[in-house]
Amino acid sequence: MTGEARKPPFRLAARLRNVLGGRAGWRGALVQLLFIAVIVWVGYEIVENARANLQAQRIASGFGFLSNTAGFSVSQALIPYSESDTYSRVFLVGLLNTLLVSAIGIIAATIIGLLVALGRLSPNWLLSRISGGYVELIRNLPLLFQILFWYLAVLATLPNPRQSISLFGSIFLSNRGLVVPDPVPQQAFTVFVFAIAIGVLAALAMRIYARRQLFKTGQKLVIWPFVVLMLIGLPALAALLFGAPVKFDMPTLRGFNFAGGMRILPEFAALVVALSTYTAAFIAEIIRAGIQSVPKGQMEAGASLGLSRGATLRLVIIPQALRVILPPLTNQYLNLTKNSSLAVAIGYPDLFSVFAGTTLSQTGQAVEIIALTMGVYLLVSLATSAIMGLYGWHVNRSLAA
């Protein structure tokens, strides 16, 4: 006879009751089954009602409309697009515009929010009060109002192209937007980008090696001359050997508008500025709360080691505060991405404007278009949450090491 514990017999009924009913027993399981049945019935009724309404209006269902010709223009497209392209191309153009606004807005809002948070914590009375005033003013005004303010009250009052504000004779700012020289890639562009990638990887490798040597031997290696040489010298050498990587297409005034160059639409600028400044006010409060959650003794310990205030914040305080900052910061990133749909108010061609707006009004395929738009926003939000979660895991792992 062995000392091993006998396994309990498999009881299907008990397992099923625990899964469905928990501690409520079979009555709880019955209630949950009824609840699921109600949800399925409501879903069935919604689908049948939508299908009947579409048939009554003689609107075809399915996603076949994506291959039809769109027939309308889009003011900004990151990929080649013309009126003869299909609705699927319109969907891609709108998606890329939404991702562009969201990415730039997230970067700008994070930088502004960090500076405002440090300003609020500064011992300088005036700087602290100005930062506090910015937070209270911006976060208490509706975002739509701020978008319209930047678009109608600031950018729309700029002079026309003939009287535009010129900078060095090659950059022009007017009520048609900001026109800058457009870099056109040449044959040596691929080699130049490859040289930059090698320089960045070499610089990161040197930094990791120097950090390991610091922890192993306590000796601080001076690597910045080699880093500068790799980041600047290597691309410069590639350009010297293989020629200029880009050629600039300069803007020129022809008639009532500029020709050539790269144009940044006033709608795009107004949306990015409004989203960045609005979200930065909330991010500033999140960062300030995170820094204040770290015990004051950490700052005093950094000062006792001879570290400056900036070095103590960068090396000691902020890494510990990130564990508190990251969850609400992720929420603000998601809010900024979803708030970009307000671009429809000023005519910026984002996903919601050109696909869930113009395309829907032309085709009438409301169910398919709304489902696709919802799916895209859901996927973007889940991807953002996953990236921030991965970064949070890296931060916790570094602090635990």
Side-chain angles (χ1 to χ4, degrees):
M1 182 177 182
T2 62
E4 296 180 356
R6 297 177 55 189
K7 293 183 179 180
F10 180 75
R11 294 183 298 175
L12 179 60
R15 294 283 182 90
L16 189 61
R17 184 182 60 189
N18 289 335
V19 170
L20 296 178
R23 296 181 178 178
W26 286 110
R27 285 184 295 180
L30 181 61
V31 171
Q32 293 198 36
L33 288 174
L34 289 175
F35 183 68
I36 293 173
V38 170
I39 291 178
V40 172
W41 175 74
V42 171
Y44 173 78
E45 288 294 330
I46 291 175
V47 172
E48 281 297 310
N49 187 48
R51 189 178 62 82
N53 289 335
L54 290 175
Q55 287 182 348
Q57 298 176 14
R58 298 182 179 179
I59 297 176
S61 58
F63 295 93
F65 73 96
L66 289 173
S67 60
N68 297 338
T69 301
F72 63 90
S73 61
V74 178
S75 57
Q76 175 180 305
L78 299 179
I79 57 175
Y81 172 80
S82 65
E83 296 181 4
S84 59
D85 283 321
T86 60
Y87 287 119
S88 60
R89 193 75 170 180
V90 172
F91 171 78
L92 188 58
V93 168
L95 174 60
L96 292 178
N97 287 342
T98 294
L99 294 179
L100 177 67
V101 167
S102 302
I104 296 178
I106 285 174
I107 295 173
T110 305
I111 296 173
I112 298 172
L114 176 62
L115 295 178
V116 173
L118 296 179
R120 290 207 70 179
L121 295 172
S122 171
N124 186 305
W125 183 87
L126 181 60
L127 181 59
S128 176
R129 293 303 181 277
I130 291 176
S131 301
Y134 167 84
V135 171
E136 295 301 331
L137 174 65
I138 296 297
R139 74 175 180 178
N140 287 301
L141 294 176
L143 176 57
L144 181 58
F145 169 80
Q146 296 187 39
I147 293 175
L148 295 176
F149 168 77
W150 286 107
Y151 183 64
L152 299 176
V154 177
L155 297 179
T157 58
L158 291 173
N160 58 49
R162 285 181 174 275
Q163 300 173 340
S164 61
I165 302 171
S166 175
L167 186 63
F168 306 118
S170 56
I171 300 175
F172 303 94
L173 180 63
S174 67
N175 55 11
R176 302 287 181 88
L178 179 66
V179 185
V180 299
D182 185 16
V184 180
Q186 303 296 308
Q187 290 184 349
F189 181 75
T190 305
V191 180
F192 185 76
V193 172
F194 191 65
I196 292 177
I198 293 177
V200 171
L201 292 176
L204 290 175
M206 284 189 286
R207 185 180 183 278
I208 293 173
Y209 175 75
R211 188 180 178 87
R212 289 183 177 178
Q213 287 298 111
L214 177 63
F215 281 103
K216 185 183 294 182
T217 64
Q219 183 182 4
K220 186 176 181 181
L221 300 179
V222 180
I223 61 170
W224 68 265
F226 303 100
V227 172
V228 172
L229 181 64
M230 297 302 295
L231 292 179
I232 299 178
L234 199 58
L237 181 62
L240 188 63
L241 294 177
F242 298 96
V246 295
K247 182 180 178 181
F248 289 96
D249 179 19
M250 305 300 292
T252 55
L253 182 62
R254 294 179 183 173
F256 296 99
N257 207 345
F258 289 96
M262 182 171 59
R263 180 176 303 169
I264 299 176
L265 297 175
E267 292 85 0
F268 174 80
L271 185 63
V272 168
V273 172
L275 287 175
S276 303
T277 52
Y278 179 77
T279 310
F282 295 91
I283 291 178
E285 289 299 276
I286 292 171
I287 295 177
R288 182 175 70 91
I291 292 176
Q292 288 182 330
S293 69
V294 179
K296 292 184 178 179
Q298 298 290 313
M299 182 66 80
E300 297 170 355
S304 66
L305 293 174
L307 297 176
S308 63
R309 178 180 173 83
T312 305
L313 278 173
R314 181 169 56 87
L315 300 174
V316 179
I317 304 300
I318 290 182
Q320 297 183 67
L322 279 177
R323 290 189 293 190
V324 180
I325 291 173
L326 285 179
L329 185 64
T330 305
N331 290 335
Q332 292 304 319
Y333 288 170
L334 300 183
N335 288 338
L336 187 147
T337 303
K338 290 179 288 187
N339 287 336
S340 67
S341 61
L342 291 174
V344 69
I346 56 175
Y348 176 72
D350 75 323
L351 177 66
F352 189 82
S353 176
V354 299
F355 193 66
T358 308
T359 302
L360 192 153
S361 63
Q362 286 190 355
T363 64
Q365 308 251 182
V367 176
E368 294 83 358
I369 289 177
I370 295 299
L372 275 176
T373 308
M374 288 172 58
V376 167
Y377 279 109
L378 179 62
L379 286 177
V380 172
S381 297
L382 291 177
T384 305
S385 299
I387 293 172
M388 294 300 292
L390 185 63
Y391 180 63
W393 172 81
H394 173 71
V395 169
N396 289 328
R397 185 184 178 189
S398 300
L399 292 176

